[in-house]
Amino acid sequence: MRRIPLPLPRAALWALIVAAPAAAVAAPDAPIDAYRRAHEVQILGELDALVRLRSVAADPQGLSDTAAHLLAALRQRGFEAQSVSAAPGTPPLLLGTLSSRGARRTVVFYAHYDGQPVTPSQWRSPPFVPVMRGAPPGEPEQEIDWRKATPPFDPQWRLYGRAVSDDKASIVALLTALDALRAVGRRPTVNVKVVWDGEEEAGSPHLAELLRAHARQLRADLWLVGDGPVHASRRPLLYFGARGVLGLELTVYGPLQALHDGHYGNWAPNPAALAANLLAQMRDDTGRILIPGFDAEIRPLSAAERAALAALPPVDAELQRQLGIGRPESAEDLPDSLMRPALNVRGIRAGEVGAAAANSIPTEARVSLDLRLVPAQTPQRVREVVEQFLRAQGWTLLSEAPDEAARRAHPRLIKLAWEPGYPALRSDMDSPPARAVIATLGAVAREPVALLPMIGGSVPLYLFADLFAVPVIGLPIVNHDNAQHAANENLRLRNLWDGIDAYAALIGRLDW
Amino acid sequence: MRRIPLPLPRAALWALIVAAPAAAVAAPDAPIDAYRRAHEVQILGELDALVRLRSVAADPQGLSDTAAHLLAALRQRGFEAQSVSAAPGTPPLLLGTLSSRGARRTVVFYAHYDGQPVTPSQWRSPPFVPVMRGAPPGEPEQEIDWRKATPPFDPQWRLYGRAVSDDKASIVALLTALDALRAVGRRPTVNVKVVWDGEEEAGSPHLAELLRAHARQLRADLWLVGDGPVHASRRPLLYFGARGVLGLELTVYGPLQALHDGHYGNWAPNPAALAANLLAQMRDDTGRILIPGFDAEIRPLSAAERAALAALPPVDAELQRQLGIGRPESAEDLPDSLMRPALNVRGIRAGEVGAAAANSIPTEARVSLDLRLVPAQTPQRVREVVEQFLRAQGWTLLSEAPDEAARRAHPRLIKLAWEPGYPALRSDMDSPPARAVIATLGAVAREPVALLPMIGGSVPLYLFADLFAVPVIGLPIVNHDNAQHAANENLRLRNLWDGIDAYAALIGRLDW
């Protein structure tokens, strides 16, 4: 799905995710921390090298070079690793397995090595030449030649470069965690598998097919997804699901040509008014979806999920202030409201407004919707319900623009263009592996871990759960203010260091 | 008000105006007709000279030259005439009076001498160099050097040039009618006054002020407005009113910046959805206005008006076919539906649609409306009713964009930008002067006269009625397919000849 860079909103989203009281606060893992302190130059060198590889869709060679580099990095750590592609020239998916003697469980760590497209003119420095920046408190930020600096480095420093946060930091944290565990003489408590995607920012068009083709070697007990940022308070976060999504473009037809609305207003159907009325029939002012049967498939929240939501302290007032919102749509707070399906109006267009407005009845009105789905809604079923609703309202549904005969023959014509969409996932927060992940991360985290049953945005977590029938948990490590998808993407060193701790715990301590 | 060039719609509009059975069919006035046949070269020469004068807003000198030319033309016919301006440099209004011994009644003939702006590149020949075109049936149209041709000319020929139809034809028809009456030795039966506007296409910004200032010398018993085209069947037309108009631009506010609709959908108010819901509360799918009190001031149609509407044969089926309309908005036919007020959505804009649509909640939605008013609604009262409705729905009304504090303080913010607007007019079709006009025109018309109580489009007829408390009747003469306001504006000679007959009758026979 399309994403838009939204620095404040993303920050604000994560601001709502706060510590669940259940998660214990503990000290970092001292030996792992010591290893990291002793190897900061080496770790940053690995990340720097990775960011220099231009792994963006516009650069197939850069993606291929990145895959080759990472394949070598995996093999160097003892992985059985392979690079698989759906077709020649498509960015490879990297699969790796590192078995651990005595391990009873197997965990797949998913991340993506491709990055969002770049607009270099918007960057302060070239996106594929990593630059460290930092400043003492209260002084202006400046570039730092970290290779000449003496470690340990200031953890507030940030490394700038495309994909440094999204997701190359997670990849380097995992590799470093393995190095650290080996250096301190600990064997992984789980068998480690990696799935590193080269097409995530392009919508992972071949991921399902490749996962299916390699299902046997991907057998596991748990998936951990190293995508997304932590909470804006800089507390760690685990998320257990994501809403699904289903895009829909509607076109409502009026007269064949724009008509003078003085001479025809009240007689020639006005498609802008029809589209507005249709939207009002689909959704009320509180965001409640009015389409009959739309909520028939919704699975209620579990006790654990309700408890997790209840444990989140209210942040709505601050968000309302930041975003200039006088009244939230619903009576619920933000986390609760995101547990429901949403009918979002992405856009509506008909005629013209302001100085360009002519006194005319437009020929058509276009409405762009995205439906956010929750378990157990399916795109297929939602599509059926919406189409049934439209037919019941007297609309004739089209997949192409109507010809003149069709326009004359039918009183209400609407063209529907559905995007494929995908369903939501809420993984069980109370399963043994989930409890083990929460406890294990909590044991090494510097602050309480925030737990979210489901993020409001859509990530195709369902795919892993559907294909492999295993719990799927989101394990983000990077700072919320990383300018993900925008210019000047960056990674705060503290987040990388904490991320290494997190990965080391989830590889070197996890068991259930 | 803004107008858009709509060749088919305008044609289609006038197509619905058909003969009222009440209007008698009679022979043209033979002496007037004979005069015209003997003077076709002279009449066309007068029109040709007038079209060559560049009377468009972009050419103040052209407007001034045209006014001087017309002032001379009036004085030459014995008018007491003057040119008055609201301010130096503004196009003058021409006022003329030709008293007739023994006349009991005084009629003001209104027309405008300014034309719409031109885009010469769209014209087949320069807009201010009149060109005659015509062809025998079935052969391609070609330019005709009419000065070298032998009259009487083919009445299907057309003269092309800016303003030739809108309204210079009406001006020349009046002047020629006076010449013809004098030539055949008839004295006008009414005192003739003219009001020739030089700013009509610019919205007549100074007209009311100038009319008020010269109210005493404009005393009259009737106004006849020589604007607009006749019926598409080429039958003559009289109209007795026009809907009023009141434009309104609405802006509904959402969050301060676009928000990811996955992470905020259902919580941050979506202004596109709010705008759609608001529109649905204001107007239903049949065009019925739902705002309480909106219809409180509506004056019912009179028996004569209802009879005139009933006399119009149905043309809706053909219009539906031409315009690709499967279902008219209302259960009424077009003429009836135009007798009601309309809430037209000129445009609606929020976010983006199609490939440009982002998964975001837009920051604002804009809606452009025009309200078409009917007697006795006033812009002021309609504005009050709409604002009262919005407040009752919980909206805080603004005249400027809100600041951040206002956005935080109010749950529903809407900015309203009202255009000044003006009221409708339906003049009494059954008054003695109206009956006299209908009968007088019917007596000389080649075909039955179509009678329309009120046109759906807005023309400020109310102004004349308000200022002078007299009947106001629309007396168009030009062909419906004149490309009014567009390139290649033209006048069919038959329409000019019939127009001369009409003016001669209404000056030389009218009495009541």
Side-chain angles (χ1 to χ4, degrees), chain A residues 243 261-262 277 285 349 370, chain B residues 243 261-262 277 285 349 370:
Chain A
R243 288 199 288 193
D261 69 13
N277 286 353
D285 263 11
R349 296 253 145 178
D370 71 44
Chain B
R243 288 199 287 192
D261 68 15
N277 286 352
D285 263 11
R349 297 255 144 175
D370 69 47

Side-chain angles (χ1 to χ4, degrees), chain B residues 8 11 26 46 62 65 83 99 131 148 207 214 385 411 466 468 483 489 491 498 508-509:
Chain B
L8 174 60
E46 177 126 30
D65 291 348
S83 166
S99 299
V131 168
K148 292 188 180 161
L207 183 59
H214 298 85
V385 164
D466 267 18
F468 304 111
E489 179 176 346
L491 172 68
D498 290 349
R509 298 182 174 211

Side-chain angles (χ1 to χ4, degrees), chain A residues 1-4 6-10 12-13 243 249 254-270 272-274 276-277 279-281 283-287 316 319-330 332-334 337-338 340-355 357-362 366-368 370 372 404 407-412 455-458, chain B residues 1-4 6-10 12-13 243 249 254-270 272-274 276-277 279-281 283-287 316 319-330 332-334 337-338 340-355 357-362 366-368 370 372 404 407-412 455-458:
Chain A
M1 61 176 264
R2 286 159 298 211
R3 297 182 182 179
I4 49 170
L6 295 168
L8 173 61
R10 183 168 291 274
L13 165 73
R243 288 199 288 193
E249 296 283 325
L256 273 171
Q257 56 188 106
L259 295 179
H260 192 295
D261 69 13
H263 296 321
Y264 290 93
N266 277 359
W267 185 80
N270 186 312
L274 288 171
N277 286 353
L279 279 176
Q281 290 164 347
R283 173 197 201 281
D284 73 13
D285 263 11
T286 71
D316 288 36
L319 276 181
Q320 281 186 240
R321 199 194 60 75
Q322 280 181 31
L323 302 173
I325 291 173
R327 170 195 70 94
E329 258 188 352
S330 73
E332 297 162 340
D333 63 17
L334 176 53
S337 66
L338 299 183
R340 283 191 285 117
L343 191 157
N344 291 308
V345 184
R346 297 191 288 208
I348 180 167
R349 296 253 145 178
E352 300 281 347
V353 298
N359 52 349
S360 73
I361 298 168
R366 299 182 61 187
V367 179
S368 179
D370 71 44
R372 299 286 168 172
E404 291 196 19
R407 295 173 81 128
R408 287 176 197 129
H410 300 288
R412 290 167 181 263
I455 57 173
S458 300
Chain B
M1 59 175 262
R2 287 159 298 211
R3 298 185 183 176
I4 49 171
L6 294 169
L8 174 60
R10 183 168 290 272
L13 165 75
R243 288 199 287 192
E249 297 283 326
L256 272 171
Q257 54 188 109
L259 295 178
H260 192 295
D261 68 15
H263 296 321
Y264 289 93
N266 280 358
W267 185 79
N270 185 313
L274 288 171
N277 286 352
L279 279 177
Q281 290 165 347
R283 173 196 201 281
D284 72 14
D285 263 11
T286 71
D316 288 36
L319 276 180
Q320 282 186 240
R321 200 194 61 74
Q322 280 180 31
L323 302 173
I325 291 173
R327 172 193 71 92
E329 259 187 351
S330 74
E332 296 162 339
D333 64 16
L334 175 52
S337 67
L338 299 183
R340 284 190 285 117
L343 191 157
N344 291 308
V345 185
R346 297 190 287 209
I348 180 167
R349 297 255 144 175
E352 301 280 349
V353 298
N359 52 350
S360 73
I361 297 167
R366 297 182 63 188
V367 178
S368 178
D370 69 47
R372 298 285 167 171
E404 292 195 19
R407 296 174 78 126
R408 288 178 197 126
H410 300 288
R412 291 167 181 261
I455 57 173
S458 300

Side-chain angles (χ1 to χ4, degrees), chain A residues 160-392:
Chain A
Y160 287 76
R162 172 52 86 220
V164 65
S165 253
D166 182 21
D167 281 341
K168 288 178 176 175
S170 290
I171 289 174
V172 168
L174 181 141
L175 294 174
T176 304
L178 288 166
D179 295 343
L181 290 169
R182 177 177 309 227
V184 303
R186 291 196 214 151
R187 186 183 301 139
T189 54
V190 293
N191 299 312
V192 175
K193 294 187 177 180
V194 300
V195 171
W196 287 344
D197 192 350
E199 296 186 288
E200 198 268 352
E201 301 293 8
S204 303
H206 305 102
L207 184 59
E209 170 189 350
L210 290 170
L211 294 179
R212 266 191 214 99
H214 300 86
R216 181 175 300 266
Q217 76 196 72
L218 287 169
R219 280 185 188 159
D221 302 291
L222 172 68
W223 279 60
L224 291 174
V225 174
D227 196 26
V230 301
H231 160 236
S233 73
R234 311 209 182 279
R235 287 182 178 179
L237 170 73
L238 292 170
Y239 59 87
F240 296 81
R243 288 199 288 193
V245 68
L246 179 57
L248 173 58
E249 296 283 325
L250 299 170
T251 308
V252 172
Y253 295 92
L256 273 171
Q257 56 188 106
L259 295 179
H260 192 295
D261 69 13
H263 296 321
Y264 290 93
N266 277 359
W267 185 80
N270 186 312
L274 288 171
N277 286 353
L278 177 58
L279 279 176
Q281 290 164 347
M282 295 171 84
R283 173 197 201 281
D284 73 13
D285 263 11
T286 71
R288 190 75 48 184
I289 297 170
L290 306 174
I291 298 167
F294 193 90
D295 54 2
E297 320 269 313
I298 296 177
R299 193 180 78 213
L301 294 171
S302 71
E305 288 163 344
R306 284 200 307 273
L309 289 169
L312 299 169
V315 290
D316 288 36
E318 173 57 18
L319 276 181
Q320 281 186 240
R321 199 194 60 75
Q322 280 181 31
L323 302 173
I325 291 173
R327 170 195 70 94
E329 258 188 352
S330 73
E332 297 162 340
D333 63 17
L334 176 53
D336 282 358
S337 66
L338 299 183
M339 299 299 117
R340 283 191 285 117
L343 191 157
N344 291 308
V345 184
R346 297 191 288 208
I348 180 167
R349 296 253 145 178
E352 300 281 347
V353 298
N359 52 349
S360 73
I361 298 168
T363 58
E364 62 179 43
R366 299 182 61 187
V367 179
S368 179
L369 302 178
D370 71 44
L371 300 157
R372 299 286 168 172
L373 311 183
V374 303
Q377 296 180 305
T378 61
Q380 177 56 31
R381 183 65 193 133
V382 165
R383 184 177 162 152
E384 287 166 10
V385 164
V386 170
E387 294 188 348
Q388 192 172 359
F389 164 77
L390 291 171
R391 286 199 190 91

